[in-house]
Amino acid sequence: MTSIVEIPVTMSSREIAELTGKRHDHVMADIRKMLVDLGYELDTDGRSPEFSGDVPDSYGRIQPAFLLPRELTEVLILGYSAPLRLKVVRRLRELEQGSLKPPVSRPVDIAELPAVVASLEIVARSLNVCESGKLQMYGAAFSRHGVDPVGLLPAYAVDAPAGYVTAGSSLPAFSLTHLLKEHGIQMSAIKVNKALEQAGLLELKKRPSTKSPDRLKPFWALTEYGLQYGKNVTSPNNPRETQPLFFADRFQQLLALIEPSETRH
């Protein structure tokens, strides 16, 4: 007699976000609130031992996510609009019926990789992306072309200004908001960004909006001169943007370059 093993249906927070058109971090926040309301414990990073996992995003990068059983998925979407609930319910039904076909992997074409790498080099050079950011870009691009980057790329990169002796490790770097608070400086990050732009350390870049290509989204990037005091990493909000981080041990030198009377107490 053949026994049938029932596989529990689960849905990831990333898939819920894609179905509903919501931002993934917002869906994650909704799930955390739901789990706390239901009495589940979360760790200090907001992860759940029962329902947390790691799934690839649209760029092939492994990112934290929640994996919810059908029951909790239905509880979550009770707070969403009827059209969004319908999309999720239909997807759950498809998963239960096993009607989904496995994704067809794109055949590997190694001949394309040199052109991909050349394009990434141009983008990385234009945005002054740091070494670890370049590795992340290469890994995502290789994965999208069906190549496992493990073994092809080094496991780390040292992020530091040229000529700086680091003993083989990256310099600690943080966001401007974090460092201003850490140093007890009452200036806003917006004002400091403007001052850094006037000093030639930052520049305002623009990219086409994902939803409205005719609109341009602004973002900050450190200039060649600014790389003495920080690094450009890939933005966690959008991989087509950079996020400047500033070296902690050079922050006071950085502040001395912009309105010293306003940044010191």
Side-chain angles (χ1 to χ4, degrees):
M1 179 178 178
T2 303
S3 60
I4 299 175
V5 178
E6 183 177 350
I7 301 175
V9 170
T10 61
M11 183 174 287
S12 74
S13 52
R14 186 162 296 280
E15 187 169 15
I16 294 171
E18 291 172 355
L19 286 168
T20 59
K22 293 177 175 288
R23 282 177 41 172
H24 184 232
D25 57 335
H26 290 173
V27 173
M28 294 270 282
D30 291 342
I31 293 174
R32 290 190 185 99
K33 183 179 184 306
M34 175 190 72
L35 292 176
V36 170
D37 289 346
L38 293 175
Y40 291 98
E41 292 187 2
L42 304 179
D43 62 20
T44 54
D45 294 325
R47 292 171 68 88
S48 161
E50 297 98 330
F51 307 114
S52 286
D54 296 296
V55 300
D57 62 13
S58 57
Y59 290 86
R61 301 171 301 182
I62 301 302
Q63 303 283 8
F66 284 106
L67 302 173
L68 298 180
R70 177 178 182 117
E71 183 179 53
L72 290 184
T73 302
E74 290 178 341
V75 172
L76 174 71
I77 63 174
L78 285 175
Y80 295 173
S81 67
L84 299 185
R85 290 201 304 270
L86 181 60
K87 288 182 179 180
V88 175
V89 169
R90 283 176 174 171
R91 173 65 173 173
L92 284 169
R93 188 179 300 120
E94 288 178 342
L95 289 171
E96 284 184 332
Q97 294 173 348
S99 60
L100 295 179
K101 297 180 180 178
V104 178
S105 300
R106 178 182 176 180
V108 178
D109 188 352
I110 300 298
E112 293 182 4
L113 291 182
V116 172
V117 170
S119 298
L120 290 177
E121 278 291 337
I122 294 172
V123 173
R125 199 159 47 240
S126 171
L127 298 179
N128 291 323
V129 176
C130 63
E131 296 304 310
S132 60
K134 290 180 184 177
L135 287 180
Q136 186 180 40
M137 292 168 65
Y138 294 151
F142 284 12
S143 295
R144 295 186 74 179
H145 281 75
V147 177
D148 185 355
V150 177
L152 297 178
L153 300 175
Y156 69 95
V158 175
D159 296 328
Y164 194 94
V165 180
T166 63
S169 62
S170 296
L171 294 179
F174 303 93
S175 69
L176 182 59
T177 301
H178 173 88
L179 288 171
L180 289 173
K181 183 177 180 181
E182 187 79 11
H183 288 262
I185 297 169
Q186 300 302 314
M187 289 179 68
S188 69
I190 295 175
K191 186 173 182 179
V192 175
N193 279 334
K194 287 293 184 183
L196 291 173
E197 182 184 25
Q198 292 175 0
L201 297 159
L202 275 183
E203 60 181 324
L204 197 61
K205 300 276 191 178
K206 293 183 179 180
R207 65 165 180 84
S209 169
T210 303
K211 294 184 177 179
S212 304
D214 56 323
R215 294 178 53 199
L216 296 177
K217 292 276 190 177
F219 62 94
W220 290 109
L222 285 160
T223 63
E224 192 81 25
Y225 175 43
L227 294 178
Q228 300 175 68
Y229 304 97
K231 61 182 181 178
N232 291 319
V233 300
T234 305
S235 170
N237 297 322
N238 191 299
R240 295 190 295 156
E241 297 179 3
T242 54
Q243 176 187 8
L245 298 181
F246 298 89
F247 298 132
D249 70 343
R250 292 196 167 191
F251 193 60
Q252 289 290 3
Q253 299 174 43
L254 178 71
L255 293 179
L257 300 176
I258 55 166
E259 304 182 11
S261 61
E262 291 192 47
T263 57
R264 295 178 184 175
H265 296 287

